[in-house]
Amino acid sequence: MESTHTPPGPAPTAIARWATDAVPPAQRLDYWISAICEGFLEMDVSARLDPGFRASLEAAPLGPLVVNRVSGSAQDVYRTPRAVAQSRDNFYYLLRKSDVPWHAAQAGREARLLPGDMLLVDSRFCYEFHFPLTANTLSIELPPAWLEAWLPQPMAQLGRRIDGQSGWGLTLSSFVHQLSPEVAASPPLPGALMADQLGALLALATGNAAVGDAGEAASAPGLQALARRVRERLQQRHAEPGLTAGAIAADLGVSERTLHRCLAQGGATFGQCLVDCRMAVARRLLDDPRFDRLTGAEIGRRVGLADASHFIRQCRRQFGATPGELRRRR
């Protein structure tokens, strides 16, 4: 019989919040400018000064990244030379709007974006965003060292529309759409692993996944052989909680970018391969009567999923049934 006790998961991270509803209408724009300067970077904002102006910002870390959600009225945002000069810290940002078109400019390029499209900007340079109807945007803060490990030439992507309607851009857009400060505060997988997923998809969507590391399995046969080694190593180490692509890449003596590239060649991601490996082992244990003395939670722990509720969700997703139902069907 399965235990109904679920071990507590990691405590959720606090979500930082700013909202103009906290101040009178006449002070909201000034408050909002101060809020984004505190929560993001030094920026200027222009908007209609009317009682209907509202805006909010929520933010939470996800591994090395920060997931920010902006909601609010129409506005124009400017990163000026003065603001760039005053900033001590700088980041890349990946932006996505789901509701209405908008447009932006950076690095001498202008981009007109549809719902679902994405844009990469660098806070070390001036930019401008124009939100004619709403400012509802998901913005992911990317440390320069982290992004530059995924994109060999990020400058070439600044101010360019990343098509969120087809190909790898659609896959990236769908992944980003699932992110929120709430997900970042209590992630379904380790934050570093989810950040790896984002980096790999961003490299694929911008066409940089084809740029290999010197001397590292550059040929198609070499990548196929490396993918087999990655899967073999996952079979050996899948039970380690919090296992990341970086750990496997270091184990194999390759870069993370090459590891993700070899899997992407076969249409897979590291996270997908890790989950598939863990759940295949879990299914074997659930199908074997010798392991009936183990609770479902213990089976999950043995395959690297310490959160029992997360293991149950994965069973439903992979097999259409809970661990207990799978045993009864047997």
Side-chain angles (χ1 to χ4, degrees), residues 103-273:
H103 63 278
Q106 187 176 47
R109 305 185 186 106
E110 291 192 12
R112 298 190 177 276
L113 300 112
L114 300 173
D117 289 342
M118 291 150 294
L119 181 78
L120 184 68
V121 297
D122 185 341
S123 70
R124 291 171 290 190
F125 306 98
C126 298
Y127 55 70
E128 55 188 75
F129 306 144
H130 301 286
F131 303 116
L133 297 175
T134 74
N136 303 339
T137 310
L138 191 77
S139 174
I140 305 177
E141 181 180 288
L142 314 172
W146 180 89
L147 181 69
E148 289 160 9
W150 289 102
L151 304 188
Q153 297 177 314
M155 281 289 295
Q157 304 301 329
L158 301 183
R160 295 186 185 276
R161 169 180 172 260
I162 301 175
D163 182 4
Q165 320 303 316
S166 62
W168 286 111
L170 175 59
T171 307
L172 172 64
S173 182
S174 299
F175 181 82
V176 173
H177 182 62
Q178 299 301 315
L179 299 180
S180 66
E182 290 78 13
V183 169
S186 185
L189 294 173
L193 178 59
M194 295 186 69
D196 284 348
Q197 291 282 88
L198 178 69
L201 291 173
L202 183 57
L204 289 165
T206 57
N208 284 288
V211 181
D213 299 305
E216 286 188 2
S219 67
L223 291 174
Q224 292 171 3
L226 178 59
R228 287 193 295 272
R229 292 171 59 206
V230 170
R231 288 186 168 89
E232 289 169 359
R233 203 55 53 95
L234 284 176
Q235 290 174 356
Q236 298 166 8
R237 299 185 58 179
H238 69 273
E240 299 176 25
L243 184 63
T244 65
I248 295 295
D251 201 2
L252 296 174
V254 300
S255 73
E256 285 188 54
R257 187 169 66 233
T258 296
L259 182 148
H260 288 291
R261 181 188 171 202
C262 78
L263 295 175
Q265 187 186 52
T269 66
F270 177 81
Q272 174 190 337
C273 291

Side-chain angles (χ1 to χ4, degrees), residues 13-42:
T13 303
I15 299 175
R17 291 185 170 90
W18 297 260
T20 59
D21 290 343
V23 299
Q27 301 174 20
R28 285 178 179 173
L29 182 58
D30 289 340
Y31 174 88
W32 179 237
I33 294 173
S34 298
I36 61 174
C37 289
E38 179 183 350
F40 278 127
L41 300 155
E42 291 284 337

Side-chain angles (χ1 to χ4, degrees), residues 267-286:
T269 66
F270 177 81
Q272 174 190 337
C273 291
L274 177 58
V275 169
D276 288 348
C277 182
R278 284 172 166 168
M279 297 312 295
V281 175
R283 183 62 187 263
R284 178 175 59 79
L285 298 180
L286 291 168

